[in-house]
Amino acid sequence: MSRAAVSSKGDRTRDRILDAAATVASIGGVSAVTIGPLAESLGMSKSGLFAHFRSKEALQVETLDRSAEHFIEAVIEPVRAEPDKSKRLEIFFKLWLDWIENPGRLGGGCPILSAGIEYDDVPGPVRDASARHTGALNDSIRRMVRNARPGCDVETIAALVDGLALSHLVRVRLLREPNARSVTERAFALLLENSRKD
Amino acid sequence: MSRAAVSSKGDRTRDRILDAAATVASIGGVSAVTIGPLAESLGMSKSGLFAHFRSKEALQVETLDRSAEHFIEAVIEPVRAEPDKSKRLEIFFKLWLDWIENPGRLGGGCPILSAGIEYDDVPGPVRDASARHTGALNDSIRRMVRNARPGCDVETIAALVDGLALSHLVRVRLLREPNARSVTERAFALLLENSRKD
């Protein structure tokens, strides 16, 4: 077998592991991603899985990176396809709500969001990775707010937009409130209406 | 020893266990509250701890209940002491931000909030307990919004207030943004200003 073919087989195995790990993280949080049970669910040996990820933390960090790739594909790429930057915030927010209600094919909630809450007081690489992804998302939101409402108090509106999505997550996924989406959409419209100028 | 004295000693042990468990949950999430390690940290036997809590889930549910008691003492009771109900929302929000930044003597984040995110896709008593506490808090927020701004779109403003606190949590505890509190306070003022009528 050529070197490329070997590497490609290794990559496919890695992919398969990370997809399974992202599903586990989506349902039970990234702390539920551990080498033994994951190897068992994939019909692999623990040492086989260790050959790809040298520690539980490395596996958990790459699980978050894989989840971020899913998020970018489902939410960020369609937003970037809109050439009028002033329209991107509204497109983004709708797709973000869709993602929160049903993140890709992951089966549960957003692994990065829950990792941010679960690991905020646990120093280490998992906390760092979730802070990196969350910080990047918040930067994007601020850019979109600035383009949608030039001259507004960007930090303030961005915090309200971000928070509204978090509240939506709780009202949909934990409390299962049937009117969650319509309340969130009314709140978003109110924000846009009241942020026309500083 | 009298029956009352026996019961009181048992109560004190229970209290000690639940206080330690609430601290563990505050730092690592309620999933980190497990009987073996908790017994060890308290210098108790596993069977001694089992005598008080018959399962890990029962212990985790009572840990959330204990955390809610701390929250009520730190945030809700001072709010209720204000006789003018129209002023309660502002008092509540300030105390809630204080709680999010430093919840009682727990040492980490709010255990109920993180349990809601961690267990939203995990059916069972822990999910039920965190939905019960979170739902009760959201009901209180709606009541306070109604009293502060009669005639406003209560559900919408309550979702924005609730979300703003969640966003504050992420910006303070995960991202450690130095301007988090001032951004959150400006956002809250904007909400109050724009919710004077429906």
Side-chain angles (χ1 to χ4, degrees):
Chain A
M1 230 190 300
S2 74
R3 240 185 116 78
V6 172
S7 149
S8 151
K9 182 170 175 246
D11 286 352
R12 279 200 305 276
T13 307
R14 261 184 99 80
D15 269 354
R16 202 163 67 92
I17 296 169
L18 286 175
D19 282 335
T23 298
V24 171
S26 171
I27 294 165
V30 77
S31 64
V33 175
T34 52
I35 289 185
L38 189 63
E40 199 181 313
S41 78
L42 287 162
M44 291 176 71
S45 66
K46 274 179 76 163
S47 59
L49 209 146
F50 251 116
H52 291 276
F53 303 94
R54 293 160 86 180
S55 69
K56 183 179 77 177
E57 285 72 25
L59 171 63
Q60 290 175 333
V61 167
E62 292 211 44
T63 301
L64 293 180
D65 293 347
R66 170 59 51 100
S67 307
E69 287 167 22
H70 283 299
F71 178 78
I72 288 167
E73 196 186 317
V75 178
I76 301 297
E77 283 176 6
V79 168
R80 284 187 186 143
E82 168 58 58
D84 181 349
K85 290 188 178 176
S86 72
K87 290 185 180 157
R88 287 185 178 177
L89 180 64
E90 281 190 74
I91 299 169
F92 163 78
F93 195 71
K94 189 206 162 295
L95 292 171
W96 195 15
L97 297 186
D98 292 345
W99 167 267
I100 282 171
E101 290 170 14
N102 183 22
R105 301 167 298 279
L106 294 180
C110 174
I112 297 167
L113 218 151
S114 59
I117 306 276
E118 203 178 347
Y119 282 84
D120 56 357
D121 298 309
V122 187
V126 178
R127 184 192 191 288
D128 295 346
S130 73
R132 179 166 45 81
H133 290 300
T134 304
L137 177 61
N138 283 8
D139 287 344
S140 297
I141 295 173
R142 284 190 274 256
R143 266 196 306 278
M144 288 186 279
V145 167
R146 188 174 294 117
N147 287 324
R149 292 288 180 271
C152 81
D153 181 346
V154 171
E155 296 269 356
T156 295
I157 303 299
L160 286 162
V161 167
D162 169 48
L164 181 58
L166 299 177
S167 155
H168 186 71
L169 174 112
V170 171
R171 283 176 289 117
V172 163
R173 300 199 74 89
L174 179 66
L175 301 176
R176 295 183 183 148
E177 293 182 0
N179 68 346
R181 181 95 186 203
S182 70
V183 168
T184 300
E185 287 174 352
R186 286 209 308 277
F188 184 68
L190 182 74
L191 280 185
L192 288 187
E193 198 180 303
N194 289 316
S195 57
R196 293 200 176 264
K197 53 182 184 302
D198 203 356
Chain B
M1 231 189 304
S2 74
R3 240 184 119 77
V6 172
S7 147
S8 151
K9 185 173 172 242
D11 286 351
R12 280 199 306 275
T13 307
R14 260 184 101 81
D15 267 355
R16 202 163 68 92
I17 296 168
L18 286 174
D19 282 335
T23 298
V24 171
S26 172
I27 293 166
V30 77
S31 64
V33 175
T34 52
I35 288 183
L38 190 64
E40 200 181 312
S41 77
L42 287 162
M44 291 176 69
S45 67
K46 276 180 75 164
S47 60
L49 209 144
F50 250 116
H52 292 276
F53 303 95
R54 294 161 85 178
S55 69
K56 183 179 77 176
E57 286 70 27
L59 171 63
Q60 291 174 333
V61 166
E62 292 211 43
T63 301
L64 294 180
D65 293 348
R66 170 56 55 98
S67 307
E69 287 167 22
H70 283 300
F71 178 79
I72 288 168
E73 195 186 318
V75 179
I76 301 296
E77 283 176 7
V79 167
R80 285 188 186 142
E82 168 58 57
D84 181 348
K85 290 189 178 175
S86 72
K87 291 184 180 159
R88 288 185 178 176
L89 180 65
E90 283 190 71
I91 299 168
F92 163 78
F93 194 70
K94 189 205 162 297
L95 291 171
W96 195 14
L97 297 185
D98 293 344
W99 167 267
I100 282 170
E101 291 170 13
N102 182 23
R105 300 166 299 278
L106 295 180
C110 174
I112 295 167
L113 218 150
S114 58
I117 306 277
E118 203 178 346
Y119 282 83
D120 57 357
D121 297 310
V122 186
V126 179
R127 183 191 192 288
D128 295 346
S130 73
R132 179 166 44 82
H133 290 301
T134 304
L137 177 61
N138 284 8
D139 287 344
S140 297
I141 295 174
R142 284 190 275 257
R143 265 196 307 277
M144 287 185 279
V145 166
R146 187 174 295 116
N147 288 324
R149 291 289 180 270
C152 81
D153 182 345
V154 171
E155 296 270 357
T156 296
I157 302 298
L160 286 162
V161 166
D162 170 48
L164 182 57
L166 298 177
S167 155
H168 186 70
L169 175 113
V170 171
R171 284 176 288 117
V172 163
R173 302 199 72 89
L174 180 65
L175 303 176
R176 295 182 182 149
E177 294 184 359
N179 67 346
R181 182 94 186 206
S182 69
V183 169
T184 300
E185 286 173 352
R186 286 209 308 278
F188 184 67
L190 182 76
L191 280 184
L192 287 188
E193 200 180 303
N194 290 315
S195 56
R196 292 198 178 267
K197 55 183 182 299
D198 204 355

